[in-house]
Amino acid sequence: MQLLSSAITHCRFEASDSAADEIVLLRILKLMESMILGPVGDTLGDESICEMMETGLSMCCQGRLSELLRSSAEMSMTSMCQVIFERLKRVEPEKTPPEDMLEDRTDPGLAPLRVDPAARTNGANGSEETFAEGRNSSGTNRADDPLEPTDAINANVASTGNEGTLLETSSDIATKSYSLPSIRELLRVLINLLDPHDRQHTDSMRVMALRILDVALEVAGSSIIRHESLSRLVKDELCRHLFQLVRSDNMLLLQSSLRAAGTLLATCREVLKLQQELFLSYLVACLHLRMDIPQEPGMDPALYDGVLHGPKLAKYSKTASDSGRSTPVPGKDRLKLGIEGGARKPDAREAMVESIGALSRIPTFMVELYINYDCEIDSDDLCEEMVGLLSRNAFPDSATWSTTNVPPLCLEALLGYVQLIAARLDRQAESEGLPDPVALREQRRLKKIIVQGTARLNENPKDGIAYLTSEGVIEDPEDPQCLSRFLKGTTRISKRVLGDFLTKKFNEPILAAFLDQFDFQGKRVDEALRVLLETFRLPGEAALIERLVLSFSEKYCASSTPEGVADKDAVYVLTYAIIMLNTDQHNPNLKSQNRMSLIDFSRNLRGVNGGEDFNPQYLQDIYNSIKTREIILPDEHDNTQAFDYAWKALLHKADFGGSLITCDSNMYDADMFAATWKPVIATLSYVFMSASDDAVFSRIVASFDQCARIAAKYKLIEVLDRIIFILSTMSTLALETPPNTALNTEVQVGGNTVMVSEMAVKFGRDFKAQLATVVLFRVVVDNEASITNGWTQLVRTWLNLFVNSLLPPSSMPSQTILGISPVPLSSPSQVIDRAQKPNESGILSVFTSYLTSYAADDPPEPSDEELPEKNSPVVITVKPDVLSAGPTNGQRQMKKGVVYDPAVVFILELTTILALRDLDTIQSVGPAAADALLSVIRDAVNIHPTAVSRALFYLLCLLEASHDLSFLRVPVILHAISSLDPSMQEKSASLILKGIVRCIKKPGPLRNEMVNSPDFWAILQGIHSLSDIAPAVFNVMEHLTARNSLAITADNYEAAVALLNDFASAGGTGAILEQRQDGPGKRGKTVKQQKPLFVIHSRFLAKTLTLQPRDNDVVKRGVEAVGLIHQLSSRVPALLEQSHLDREQAWVAYWSPIFRALVAQSTNPCREIRNQALAHLQRSLLSTEHASTGHHGLIVIFDEVLFPLVLRLLKPEVYRSDPVGMNETRVHAATLLCKAFLHYLVRLSEWDGMLDLWLRILDILDRLMNSGQGESLEEAVPEILKNIILVMSSSGYLAPPNQKPELEKLWIETWRRVDRLLPGLFAEIFPDDKKAASSSTPVPDSHQQEQPLPQPQQPEQADLIPTSAGPA
């Protein structure tokens, strides 16, 4: 294979027919391709590979060959190079890199390998082509530059003898499979072909080399950087040539250069940190538009605020005065030199954008930019700049300076950036071997401070140093060493400002400390001066230059006097001479013949070196150095030295700067997105508003959602708020001023209702607004906790939707969370109720017919088809203003001047719902919500009752949830409610009660505090009389007075009884039904029909007249209220035990309310309530709880309960309230009086006032019997009196004086009163007794002794009224 390779690469033939010759060359080419690509390719040695590559490249570069052959040669070379470079994957990295990578000696036995395609090419006038060369032509006898043409090639020389020698030589060499030497040589030649300054190489040759290199880098880029010799070629020559070629105006060359550069960075960027920064900085400088974004009609510029209007790459602002030259370098020359970017042709800009887009599609590319550059103090913010570049060029106006393809390309790259971050959201962060995000965050913060501080320093050094000191960057500004370290260490300070600052007289210590940081050992004076002046620009004033030269001289000779220099004075003079020589040699205004010669330079320095002359060779070296290389800042050069010098500085910095950190983790995504989100969101907004393609809409919507998810994931509150602001603004629903609702019209068709409003019409016509609204609420869902300022826009959106009836009732959680009906809206201006015809198309046709009228701000009118017909009438009605709004925004004013604004209520409800979400929201939102609600209640006079009532309910809901907190107090709220105007309380009663029920439904501190407040009972007292509220209030009472409830205490006991008493009194309305049912027969002829005196409230009358008494809810509540009053008596013993009052006082305090309430209800016009009250009163009076009651308690029972009851029953007005049933009640009362007397007879007998009490009872019985208002009393009273006397007599408490002298007075008074009331009754009871004197008291018969007055257990008539046949 070696011989075959040698044969085909060294064969020669006479040129004859060009077509035939090219056929031979093509076959040679195909043979080489088959050898390398085939299975025998591994047997080829390095020399064979080099020769074959030289042959192939020469065909590619031969301009006289046909295009077809050259294209075929390029394709073959691409295939062969792909296989050759793939071999690097199997080659072990070299252990010791060669000292000189241009001398390719990997084996002492091998001659140097060279590939020189130019050596195979004749001059333009040559008539023959040769591809056979002697061995010597490839050896060391060639010129140092292999790309230079040689004259050693003679196409007419052909010697078979030489071939035999070559074959013999080749066969004698022990060959091994090709490896690193040939690959390195091939890479070197391909790179050399790219040299833009080598005029031998045409652009077509460079394009060819770029294509081959692109393939090589693509297949072996990661392997190339593992070999130090190859890596050095890539880092230095390849990058230098590539980054200069991207400045070419040749589009084919530019595109190939960009493609190769992109592949290079995609595969080898780990070792190209600074090179990548230079390349990307140039692209950004070229592509970033510096023009303002043109304002689109109808689009708010605030939507796309945040787009960068220019790059921030320059480390300081350059001005013409920064240059040390008298004539600044023209801008176009600087662009050609590649010093800075600038305007490029549209096609070039598109190619650059495509290159950036290809790089941005690398998943880790942007995050690597952020870590390696944005967080590096001395680097540019490349990640921010790239996002800003893509954002700005995604705007349509960028096509004006490029092509129409650029905006979509940039938009695609920008959306891809967002998509990559979103795709990594749920991935677990990998931190192994990566920098700490906290440290990077701190480093980035420090970088921002330094950037801002150096910007100030460039304007005013004193101000900048003060700022940097305040931020801790400069520890001690008074320490020259500390300050000088900062000044030398940062690259962001203007060189001109730094030179002027250091050379000021008062900064001499700083200049000395600055010079101490340089090491001039072993350097000539001109070399040391060159190093110094690379850091700052030499000032222009002579005094400043003198101060600098003096300090430099002292520093140069500080440690030891250099060879060839006598002392510092000699250095001082020599330095001045060098500065003058530099100006003389490089002044563009000076002619060549007038420039200083070496002799002149030496003459000026005679006798200044310690009295002697400088060494002539020493001065000649200085002269030559200055003449060939000007001492000036790199960016002020106006020739190729600028780029070369800057490139060498970059390589030197790269040796100490470390490798690029590669990262495939989401650990830095939060900080990266936080730094770049503004232009992203601004671009999405602009494109959303200006685009018309559905695919673009879909991508933008998805990107908005991804941005929201990123912001929510990483807690980027500002980002989420900005997204919400933009989307709500684009939705046209977040208007700060609510829309006019005066023309709102409700259309009813077939049971369906459509509210037609101005906003609904405009919103329905705007597809983008609808889509923005959908995206808005899609973003909000699940991200509520991360929103702060965005709530303002959301609330405005909801509010405007609500007031225009565009929110369905189900969307508001009023019923599910608060348990109340939705907020009522203002009534529409008119309602069009239309019967639907069978042949009509539906509600949408009706809705459409009302839209056009809004163009003229007129209310909708029916169309011709909707006019009334004979058999299908159309009814147009205007709704009454039940809840109407005022003149502003369509609101009408109420009669009393109070305006109902549903928006206010909506805001209050929304605030309450948000506050009630959880404990955190209660603590954070609750206080503000409570203050707003309380302000509404305090100003209730000027607010619509609907708003006040719902505010009260919201406040009580908030109280229920926040009772454990301190921002709401029960007494304050209850007092505010109880202090409302009665009419306001009545209108708000329903919601007030619902709120109260929420607070007291569960036992706990809140219920206890509320029910013990007087205002609580005052509220219930104020609203319980309302017919629609009474059932709910009564349910509250049932809940509070339940047997297992501890809500009734000493503080609210009396109030509870009073409220129940009111419910019982309200049940008196049932009397009219009872009397209607009695009929004349039952009433009796002798009884005069009387009109009931009690007043029946009008609100109960209609309902009462249609129901039976037991079916009447009011009567039922009355009966149950009486039972609850009696039930409360079971609490009295516990209250007595807890009371701090005297026993007698406590007994009166807790029993009197119950007795008074039962007495009051014992005269209730309704018989059912009256009978229940009497029954419960009897149980209460005869209860064993009074067994230990003293005389004072017994006095209360008779004086405050029984006697007032009977006396009240005797009043005519009470009797007339129920003429039929009141007699029966009087009998019950008389019976109860006597039962109570007999029940407590034993204890009364021990009391001195018993006689008076007994006589009062007899007087009352006398009045009852002689009232003349019923036969039943005339029959019952004698029986009652007879029974009581018999019991007293049998018990020994009534006896004749002869038997018990101590009872004489009682006996006499009783005889006298009874005889007057019922003559003969006493004699009938005591037949043997005489009034004058009796020997003994008659003893009642056994029947009377065995039948004392029973204590009834049930409130039945038989237990209360004695029959006429005998004693009860």
Side-chain angles (χ1 to χ4, degrees), residues 1138-1313:
Q1138 299 170 2
S1139 177
H1140 299 289
L1141 298 175
D1142 179 74
R1143 181 72 180 180
E1144 294 293 332
Q1145 294 177 343
W1147 187 92
V1148 173
Y1150 295 124
W1151 276 107
S1152 293
I1154 291 181
F1155 290 153
R1156 285 196 300 268
L1158 293 177
V1159 167
Q1161 299 313 314
S1162 296
T1163 60
N1164 193 297
C1166 181
R1167 294 172 201 164
E1168 188 173 359
I1169 297 175
R1170 194 165 63 240
N1171 292 337
Q1172 285 287 338
L1174 282 170
H1176 290 306
L1177 181 61
Q1178 176 176 326
R1179 291 192 183 96
S1180 299
L1181 291 174
L1182 305 182
S1183 172
T1184 57
E1185 299 294 339
H1186 309 313
S1188 59
T1189 304
H1191 294 156
H1192 182 70
L1194 297 179
I1195 294 174
V1196 170
I1197 289 175
F1198 287 94
D1199 287 351
E1200 297 184 12
V1201 180
L1202 293 173
F1203 291 158
L1205 171 61
V1206 178
L1207 293 176
R1208 187 173 180 183
L1209 288 171
L1210 290 173
K1211 291 182 179 180
E1213 61 271 18
V1214 175
Y1215 176 76
R1216 288 198 298 270
S1217 65
D1218 186 11
V1220 175
M1222 200 57 70
N1223 279 331
E1224 186 178 350
T1225 303
R1226 289 176 175 179
V1227 174
H1228 289 177
T1231 304
L1232 178 58
L1233 176 61
C1234 295
K1235 285 183 179 182
F1237 178 75
L1238 294 177
H1239 184 75
Y1240 298 107
L1241 183 58
V1242 176
R1243 292 162 59 191
L1244 288 173
S1245 64
E1246 300 172 359
W1247 179 44
D1248 295 337
M1250 176 183 173
L1251 177 59
D1252 294 334
L1253 178 63
W1254 169 242
L1255 293 179
R1256 290 182 64 185
I1257 292 174
L1258 292 177
D1259 289 341
I1260 288 176
L1261 293 177
D1262 185 5
R1263 292 184 60 182
L1264 285 172
M1265 191 178 69
N1266 297 313
S1267 63
Q1269 294 178 342
E1271 298 176 355
S1272 57
L1273 283 173
E1274 296 175 359
E1275 296 175 356
V1277 170
E1279 294 296 332
I1280 293 173
L1281 185 56
K1282 183 177 180 180
N1283 283 340
I1284 194 171
I1285 291 174
L1286 289 173
V1287 173
M1288 291 176 66
S1289 175
S1290 63
S1291 301
Y1293 295 106
L1294 182 62
N1298 57 355
Q1299 296 180 9
K1300 289 188 176 182
E1302 66 274 12
L1303 300 177
E1304 178 181 4
K1305 188 175 181 180
L1306 176 61
W1307 173 268
I1308 294 173
E1309 290 296 330
T1310 302
W1311 187 289
R1312 182 162 53 88
R1313 296 290 182 93

Side-chain angles (χ1 to χ4, degrees), residues 1021-1092:
Q1021 281 284 359
I1023 65 176
H1024 83 281
S1025 60
L1026 304 176
S1027 59
D1028 52 343
I1029 303 301
V1033 177
F1034 189 76
N1035 290 337
V1036 172
M1037 293 304 301
E1038 286 183 315
H1039 175 72
L1040 296 177
T1041 58
R1043 292 187 182 277
N1044 58 351
S1045 175
L1046 301 177
I1048 302 301
T1049 63
D1051 295 329
N1052 58 26
Y1053 173 77
E1054 189 170 355
V1057 174
L1059 184 57
L1060 290 172
N1061 184 53
D1062 289 346
F1063 274 109
S1065 300
T1069 56
I1072 189 170
L1073 289 177
E1074 295 173 337
Q1075 296 174 27
R1076 287 178 179 274
Q1077 294 171 1
D1078 288 342
K1082 197 169 185 179
R1083 288 195 295 267
K1085 296 180 181 180
T1086 61
V1087 181
K1088 185 177 180 181
Q1089 182 68 22
Q1090 302 272 356
K1091 182 179 179 181

